[in-house]
Amino acid sequence: MKKALVTIFIYLGFLVPSYSADYTLYLVRHAEKQTGGKDPSLTYCGQQRALQLASILSKTNIEQVYSTNYKRTIQTATPSANKHNTSIKYYSPKDLDQFSTLLQHYQKNALIVGHSNTTPQLASLLSGKKVADLTEKDYQMLYQIQFIEGKTILTELIQPLSCR
């Protein structure tokens, strides 16, 4: 009888849905960059946007910060990494499928800084929803992707900084 009960409980345990950890990913394109050069730095406005981003995300319990290995993305990620006392981890924008799988495997609150052509693509991969392309002049978008009880919620936010 005991063996039958144990078998039933084990079987029922497999039927109960188990949700992975709830976590949130924040995706942004690097902030405003200087013109010219192959690997430009941020402009003054871009530096201010990076600081604003760190302030906006200050209460989000970011555990990891990811950036491509370019000055403008690293400079955008640095204030947030400093605020959350974590280092920046580098990823390749050339294999977003693999990177999206990795992010979902780790299940940690994270900031990912990318580019105008990769950030919407990564947001789409992670959320399963269509995300509009960014132009070269779009720097204000902040994508919040929440993974809660097995569901994915995409929220598109706009950073309020206005530079001229």
Side-chain angles (χ1 to χ4, degrees):
M1 181 68 171
K2 283 184 182 180
K3 189 174 183 179
L5 284 175
V6 169
T7 303
I8 290 170
F9 286 125
I10 290 172
Y11 179 73
L12 289 175
F14 287 116
L15 295 178
V16 175
S18 63
Y19 296 109
S20 35
D22 295 343
Y23 62 101
T24 304
L25 302 175
Y26 299 90
L27 286 70
V28 295
R29 175 210 181 168
H30 60 79
E32 288 85 345
K33 64 181 179 177
Q34 296 178 6
T35 56
K38 195 170 188 171
D39 189 13
S41 294
L42 295 181
T43 63
Y44 175 76
C45 184
Q47 293 167 10
Q48 295 307 302
R49 186 176 301 282
L51 291 171
Q52 182 189 65
L53 177 64
S55 178
I56 289 170
L57 298 178
S58 65
K59 302 286 185 189
T60 59
N61 299 318
I62 296 289
E63 299 170 81
Q64 296 175 333
V65 175
Y66 296 93
S67 171
T68 60
N69 197 12
Y70 292 89
K71 285 180 198 171
R72 58 195 177 274
T73 54
I74 295 166
Q75 291 171 343
T76 302
T78 297
S80 292
N82 290 344
K83 180 139 328 236
H84 292 283
N85 198 28
T86 189
S87 61
I88 298 172
K89 297 179 181 182
Y90 300 105
Y91 73 95
S92 171
K94 294 179 181 176
D95 193 356
L96 295 178
D97 286 325
Q98 182 179 3
F99 185 51
S100 105
T101 300
L102 183 76
L103 291 168
Q104 292 176 68
H105 173 75
Y106 285 151
Q107 300 181 355
K108 303 232 183 236
N109 294 336
L111 168 65
I112 300 97
V113 181
H115 303 270
S116 62
N117 62 334
T118 61
T119 300
Q121 186 180 357
L122 183 58
S124 183
L125 284 169
L126 290 163
S127 69
K129 295 182 171 55
K130 173 73 174 126
V131 176
D133 292 338
L134 296 175
T135 70
E136 276 299 310
K137 296 183 187 229
D138 292 326
Y139 293 100
Q140 72 282 3
M141 295 304 298
L142 171 60
Y143 304 96
Q144 177 188 51
I145 304 172
Q146 297 172 287
F147 298 85
I148 302 172
E149 296 181 354
K151 295 180 181 170
T152 305
I153 302 164
L154 169 66
T155 306
E156 295 183 24
L157 306 164
I158 296 176
Q159 285 185 261
L161 183 67
S162 177
C163 292
R164 301 199 197 296

